[in-house]
Amino acid sequence: MRISRALITLVVAGAALTVPVAALADVPPPARVVSRYETAGGNTVSRDCGYSATLPSASGQALWTFCDTAINDPAGTTIGFIGGSTAAVGSYTAGQVPSTLSELPTPPAAPAVPSTRAPAPFLPTPIGLVLPGTSTACGASGTSSYAASWISGLARGPNRTISGRNGSSLLFLTYSNVCVYNNAWTTQSYGVTFYDPATNQLVGAATVFPRPAAGELPWQRRLGSPTFAADGYLYLYTSLCTSSAFGACGDGTVILARTPWSASTGWSTAASYQYWTGTTWSTDPATAVSALPGARPFGVDVRVFPGRGYVAIEQTTIAGHYRVWSAAAPTGPWTAGAENVLPGCADTTTSWCYAFIGHPELSTSTSLYISHYQPDDKHVRVVAVPW
């Protein structure tokens, strides 16, 4: 989890085979995002992130990707831990919360679904990461550390050929490579990959921004919220809170980057990334200005919603406050809605809500569906809020 982490050796064994299961149904919000593994055996899966995207070749189906994943028995004891990412697939219904997801096996194993199998690692463990200030490999024996790829965005692929495949049949993921140690972490590199949901294969993975010679990867390079736009560019966002007090972000910035997808395979080439300066594009990230004027982000997620254009969900406090921004184009102009509190996040007792992520396929004409990690629940939950 993003807030606190325990290093636990993965001991979950005997993942279930594909089996017939009783008829299940999605549920109205607020509710947990649940997989068949949980409903079949009573264990629970505690994990954060929670990005989703509809499957290009399977109507009514969606992929969900998560970050660090703990597996707990019915008594609440953690019996397994997967550092990095896991994924699940299943049906979705607008206005409902998925409760019938099937955990996916580690790519490229055959994705036989529906299934009650246990969660499995999704992205491979990154290599080349080190403990801060040393040359010791992250994850080395005796260091109480692990290397992980944390997903920062998920989107439909572009309409062009990708590694011999039709890109529009693929999904695209962004991720940061981190070294986790002593309940803290450093972000050391950034990568992207395509995913073929029909075959459960990762395609064309690339480390775009490698580990610097010293220190962490600059925050401007930790991109997410990808969108392949019709103008031939891939747009991405990242954010930084520059001033905070009493659990609230008082000032910050949300910057926008782009790279060509139509004229070249720019998503995999660091030199092709440009940053929005407010009037033009520059390859120097230091020249970027906030695309969202007056931003106060502890985190931001940007998606395209049918009929509404670009929608940004900005978390502004640890008590669950957020704002919803909207724009017709990636560069804006962006308009902020009123600040509200995400239901169930104002009175948490163990930690605070985070990972506010929008879901176009679940949202309706009257309600925006937002997932988040609920610490008391130790689960990704989805709530509906008025547009």
Side-chain angles (χ1 to χ4, degrees), residues 318-337:
I318 63 174
H321 291 81
Y322 71 96
R323 293 187 293 182
V324 177
W325 299 67
S326 60
T331 55
W334 286 87
T335 302

Side-chain angles (χ1 to χ4, degrees), residues 230-245:
D231 64 1
Y233 284 93
L234 166 65
Y235 292 93
L236 309 105
Y237 296 82
T238 190
S239 65
L240 180 70
C241 179
T242 56
S243 176
S244 63

Side-chain angles (χ1 to χ4, degrees), residues 10 12 15 35 37 45 47 69 71 82 86-87 103-104 117-121:
L10 179 63
V12 174
S35 76
Y37 169 75
V45 181
R47 50 193 173 187
T69 299
I71 300 163
I82 299 171
T86 57
E103 305 287 344
L104 286 173
R117 70 170 65 85

Side-chain angles (χ1 to χ4, degrees), residues 185-212:
W185 65 87
T186 59
T187 303
Q188 300 186 15
S189 59
Y190 165 83
V192 300
T193 188
F194 288 93
Y195 172 70
D196 186 345
T199 60
N200 194 37
Q201 289 183 303
L202 300 171
V203 179
T207 300
V208 182
F209 302 124
R211 178 172 62 86

Side-chain angles (χ1 to χ4, degrees), residues 85-320:
S85 63
T86 57
V89 67
S91 63
Y92 70 89
T93 303
Q96 300 285 296
V97 181
S99 62
T100 61
L101 298 179
S102 294
E103 305 287 344
L104 286 173
T106 300
V113 293
S115 172
T116 58
R117 70 170 65 85
F122 185 60
L123 296 179
T125 301
I127 60 175
L129 307 188
V130 297
L131 292 175
T134 76
S135 60
T136 302
C138 183
S141 177
T143 63
S144 296
S145 66
Y146 65 94
S149 294
W150 287 346
I151 295 168
S152 58
L154 176 65
R156 180 76 66 91
N159 186 20
R160 59 160 296 161
T161 301
I162 308 291
S163 300
R165 296 169 168 84
N166 182 350
S168 60
S169 70
L170 306 177
L171 298 175
F172 179 76
L173 298 97
T174 57
Y175 52 90
S176 292
N177 294 321
V178 301
C179 179
V180 183
Y181 63 100
N182 296 332
N183 288 325
W185 65 87
T186 59
T187 303
Q188 300 186 15
S189 59
Y190 165 83
V192 300
T193 188
F194 288 93
Y195 172 70
D196 186 345
T199 60
N200 194 37
Q201 289 183 303
L202 300 171
V203 179
T207 300
V208 182
F209 302 124
R211 178 172 62 86
E216 289 195 78
L217 187 72
W219 71 272
Q220 298 97 327
R221 304 291 198 190
R222 308 171 195 179
L223 300 169
S225 298
T227 296
F228 289 92
D231 64 1
Y233 284 93
L234 166 65
Y235 292 93
L236 309 105
Y237 296 82
T238 190
S239 65
L240 180 70
C241 179
T242 56
S243 176
S244 63
F246 305 107
C249 181
D251 193 20
T253 183
V254 177
I255 64 172
L256 169 64
R258 75 174 188 180
T259 187
W261 68 258
S262 180
S264 68
T265 56
W267 59 82
S268 62
T269 307
S272 72
Y273 281 72
Q274 300 174 318
Y275 293 81
W276 180 241
T277 68
T279 57
T280 188
W281 296 92
S282 170
T283 57
D284 181 4
T287 64
V289 300
S290 185
L292 277 59
R296 297 184 283 113
F298 275 139
V300 69
D301 176 65
V302 183
R303 309 292 292 272
V304 174
F305 283 73
R308 295 186 177 271
Y310 287 80
V311 174
I313 300 170
E314 174 200 31
Q315 182 176 359
T316 57
T317 77
I318 63 174

